[in-house]
């Protein structure tokens, strides 16, 4: 008879919850326990220690281009208004009236110098300062006291347009937290005129599964050929498969020059660029078929002549996945944001990005480039990500099996010479390795075992 | 039609003019959903209703070749992510499929490996509130309808809803659909598994 398994985290009564959540047991070298995806207590703790205790992506500066512009978002589960205040400073205000807790702003975006609470009418400037309450003579207190101003995220910093916030006074600077992942972010931005992009609509998906399933997947080169077989076959329908983007993963992807990389602090990176010839137009040549492709390519070639290839490459999907822990995934031409909603519910917002060309580098072809680029961006959310999201939901369903406890992430482990570590600790491995998963989940465990001091601040 | 311009194989027709017309004709629905343009003729309205009912039936029965045959060669199936549709040259849509991409979409659903549709959803498309409007072209009509799609998949049922704009033209004694614009009421929210045709 084969051996019977002893559970690592036996189901127990409520007072036994603490040992069940021992993360040294639940996160092992080669595998993690199902509870890290299914336990509401672990999720609740993530919403403070991860989404609060470290730098978390909040919004993009192009969403609030002018003073008084705002977008509403979340930091973990906290409702937040990211606003460019009347003096031009970027703030992340708690969308929560100090009086009785009502959310102040229910719009997703807009422009406002002040926010008035719909419940009793307390009004706040977009700096977070309380500017007035109805019938103040009914109060003995001094409303100039800072305690009545809105709570706000104490540390808000941007990296080249990406706005992050943390509640942790002891967190390192944003630059230090990002570390070497800024290099691929810089390269991603610098391929565009002016080194920047603006947000341009979004494909918004939702799945009934834990948020980490998306982060696990974001660098997963192992699933592509199988999970996205329908997309590969669809592209193959119209063209020679060897020329198409996803077909980087044909046959044995580990033999290709693409790689995955772990940068530290939970950030990882899939770089497929080495699979593409390094010459203008090479990226565009491997792009699939999209609406308007023939017409706009012809327009751009007519207009730009031998400079057309560089412009067309801007409409093609950049073959990188830059994953900034815990919630920012820059991939192709998208900026994807992971929004945890509940232990088993997650939103994935795929923001499209457009090229802007203030210096005229594209000689008037920028509109045609964007008309192509919008269509190339719609492809993966429609024909790829829906299948990923369906699989994430099925993982969550599978993980309901209590006694079968482990999720493996040991691909590439213990194979001599396979994984390289440089002098800065940056880890590089073949494209299908799960080393990035093992490393980021160790960082997750470190954060979850820490005791960050979370603080809000208020205007004085 | 020159062979290299076959809209199943290339996309020349989605050009600057095409986009310009879409934005002009669709993005502000008050331009075409006007009482003075509404068609009163019950026979014409009934023909339009029959077209939409047939479309709903073909979708519910998974007869996607027959469904696509309702569409003009140079057609568009469009689910905007912005109110009215915005300008699709400058912002991504939820779906923006020309003829070639619709054929690809159907091909993909039939590979057996489109996991978001394995097993397939069961749907009921309910179409109602059908109104027909004249356009500047004598044989081209705009139809506004409302829809509820009841979808059952993966042990759950849900309702998707909104309104559609169909641009249809007379063709060989019947209709062909040139554009179908599907305006979900929750177009700007995160939606689960939107992998069926609406
Ligand atoms: S809760 Fe906002 S004014 Fe009372
Ligand atoms: Fe995927």
């Amino acid at each position: 008879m084969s051996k019977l398994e002893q559970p690592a985290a036996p189901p127990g009564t409520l007072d036994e919850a603490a040992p069940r959540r021992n993360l040294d047991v639940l996160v092992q070298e080669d595998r993690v326990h199902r509870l890290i995806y299914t336990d509401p207590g672990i999720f609740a703790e993530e919403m403070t220690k991860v989404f609060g205790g470290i730098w978390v992506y909040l919004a993009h500066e192009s969403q609030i281009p002018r003073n008084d512009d705002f977008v509403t978002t979340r930091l973990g589960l906290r409702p937040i208004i990211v606003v460019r205040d009347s003096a031009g400073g970027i703030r992340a205000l708690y969308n929560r009236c100090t009086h009785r807790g009502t959310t102040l702003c229910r719009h997703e975006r807009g422009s406002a110098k002040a926010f008035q609470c719909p419940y009793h009418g307390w009004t706040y400037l977009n700096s977070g300062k309380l500017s007035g309450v109805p019938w103040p003579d009914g109060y003995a207190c001094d409303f100039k006291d800072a305690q009545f101003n809105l709570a706000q995220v104490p540390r808000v910093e941007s990296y080249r347009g990406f706005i992050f916030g943390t509640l942790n006074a002891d967190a390192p600077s944003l630059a230090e937290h990002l570390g070497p992942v800024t290099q691929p972010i810089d390269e991603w931005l610098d391929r565009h005129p002016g080194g920047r992009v603006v947000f341009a609509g979004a494909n918004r998906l939702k799945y009934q599964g834990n948020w980490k399933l998306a982060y696990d997947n974001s660098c997963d080169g192992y699933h592509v050929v199988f999970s996205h077989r329908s997309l590969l076959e669809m592209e193959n329908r119209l063209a020679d498969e060897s020329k198409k983007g996803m077909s980087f993963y044909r046959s044995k992807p580990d033999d290709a020059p693409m790689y995955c990389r772990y940068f530290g602090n939970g950030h990882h990176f899939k770089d497929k660029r080495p699979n593409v010839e390094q010459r203008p137009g090479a990226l565009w040549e491997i792009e699939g078929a999209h609406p308007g492709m023939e017409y706009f390519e012809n327009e751009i070639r007519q207009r730009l002549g031998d400079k057309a290839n560089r412009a067309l490459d801007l409409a093609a999907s950049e073959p990188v996945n830059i994953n900034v822990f815990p919630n920012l995934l820059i991939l192709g031409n998208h900026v994807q944001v992971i929004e945890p909603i509940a232990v088993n519910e997650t939103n994935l917002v795929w923001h499209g990005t457009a090229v802007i060309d203030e210096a005229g580098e594209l000689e008037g072809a920028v509109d045609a480039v964007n008309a192509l680029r919008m269509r190339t961006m719609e492809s993966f959310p429609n024909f790829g990500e829906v299948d990923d999201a369906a699989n994430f939901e099925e993982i969550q369903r599978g993980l309901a099996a209590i006694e079968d406890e482990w999720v493996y992430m040991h691909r590439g482990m213990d194979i001599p010479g396979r994984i390289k570590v440089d002098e800065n600790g940056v880890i590089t491995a073949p494209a299908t390795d799960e080393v990035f998963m093992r490393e980021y989940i160790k960082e997750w465990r470190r954060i979850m075992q820490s005791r960050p001091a979370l603080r809000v601040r208020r205007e004085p | 039609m020159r062979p290299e311009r076959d809209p199943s194989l290339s996309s020349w027709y989605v050009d600057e003019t095409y986009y310009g017309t879409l934005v002009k004709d669709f993005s502000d629905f008050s331009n075409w959903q006007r009482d003075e343009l509404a068609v009163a003729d019950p026979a014409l309205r009934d023909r339009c209703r029959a077209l939409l009912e047939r479309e709903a039936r073909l979708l519910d029965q998974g007869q996607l070749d027959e469904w696509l045959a309702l569409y003009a060669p140079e057609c568009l199936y469009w689910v905007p992510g912005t109110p009215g549709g915005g300008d699709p040259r400058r912002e991504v849509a939820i779906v923006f499929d020309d003829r070639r991409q619709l054929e690809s979409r159907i091909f993909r659903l039939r590979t057996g490996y489109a996991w978001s549709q394995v097993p397939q959803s069961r749907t009921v498309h309910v179409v109602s509130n059908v109104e027909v409007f004249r356009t500047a072209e004598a044989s081209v009509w705009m139809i506004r309808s409302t829809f509820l799609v009841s979808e059952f998949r993966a042990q759950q049922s849900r309702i998707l809803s909104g309104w559609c704009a169909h641009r249809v033209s007379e063709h060989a004694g019947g209709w062909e659909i040139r554009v179908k614009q599907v305006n979900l009421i929750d177009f700007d929210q995160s939606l689960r598994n939107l992998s069926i045709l609406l």
Side-chain angles (χ1 to χ4, degrees), chain A residues 76-127:
Chain A
L77 301 182
R78 305 163 191 87
I80 296 285
I81 308 170
V82 178
V83 61
R84 197 182 289 266
D85 69 26
S86 297
I90 294 176
R91 297 171 185 268
L93 307 173
Y94 276 50
N95 189 4
R96 179 213 185 273
C97 184
T98 48
H99 178 215
R100 295 263 288 277
T102 316
T103 60
L104 293 172
C105 178
R106 293 99 190 254
H107 299 286
E108 308 214 333
R109 66 187 62 79
S111 193
K113 289 191 191 309
F115 298 97
Q116 183 171 51
C117 179
Y119 197 178
H120 310 93
W122 287 24
T123 302
Y124 305 85
L125 301 178
N126 61 17
S127 63

Side-chain angles (χ1 to χ4, degrees), chain A residues 108-109 199-208 226-231 233-235 237-238 289-296 298 334 339 346-354 367-368 370-375 377-379 382-384 386-387 389-391 393-394 397, chain B residues 4-5 8-17 19 76 78-79 81-82 87-119 153-156 186-195:
Chain A
E108 308 214 333
R109 66 187 62 79
F199 277 20
N203 289 93
R204 296 167 189 272
L205 292 84
K206 177 191 283 296
Y207 65 90
Q208 290 182 346
F226 202 78
S227 284
H228 300 302
R229 179 164 171 181
S230 68
L231 175 52
E233 290 190 3
M234 182 186 111
E235 295 199 327
R237 177 180 90 90
L238 290 164
H290 304 292
M293 191 168 204
E294 285 74 10
Y295 171 82
F296 285 100
N298 186 54
H334 282 103
E339 300 180 349
T346 305
N347 290 348
L348 296 177
V349 182
W350 292 61
H351 293 280
T353 63
D367 290 343
N370 281 327
L372 279 177
R373 182 172 161 118
M374 296 307 119
R375 301 292 84 79
M377 278 187 292
E378 285 151 3
S379 187
N382 267 278
F383 305 120
V386 281
D387 293 338
N391 278 332
E393 295 197 345
E394 296 302 324
R397 281 178 65 196
Chain B
E4 77 269 23
R5 300 275 158 116
S8 292
L9 298 174
S10 63
S11 185
W12 289 95
Y13 71 95
V14 180
D15 60 13
E16 191 60 37
T17 312
Y19 276 120
L76 178 69
W78 180 21
V79 185
T82 35
D87 187 338
R89 288 168 291 196
R90 287 199 265 280
E91 54 209 332
V92 291
I94 298 171
V95 179
F96 193 97
D97 285 358
D98 62 357
R99 157 71 54 175
R100 176 173 59 185
Q101 189 145 296
L102 270 178
E103 291 179 359
S104 288
R105 182 179 289 275
I106 292 168
F107 174 91
R108 192 186 85 86
L109 291 172
R110 288 175 174 166
T111 58
Y113 300 104
W115 305 116
S116 51
Q117 279 299 307
V118 178
R153 193 185 170 277
Q155 303 166 10
Q156 294 181 45
D186 43 5
F187 62 89
D188 57 353
Q189 301 298 305
S190 287
L191 298 170
R192 277 184 79 206
N193 194 351
L194 201 63
S195 50

Side-chain angles (χ1 to χ4, degrees), chain A residues 232-262:
Chain A
L232 293 168
E233 290 190 3
M234 182 186 111
E235 295 199 327
N236 196 25
R237 177 180 90 90
L238 290 164
D240 173 9
E241 187 194 5
S242 66
K243 296 186 82 172
K244 296 302 169 192
M246 294 290 284
S247 64
F248 297 155
Y249 290 92
R250 238 170 354 130
S251 58
K252 187 110 184 285
D254 283 351
D255 295 340
M258 63 180 168
Y259 58 88
C260 75
R261 185 163 280 176
Y262 181 74

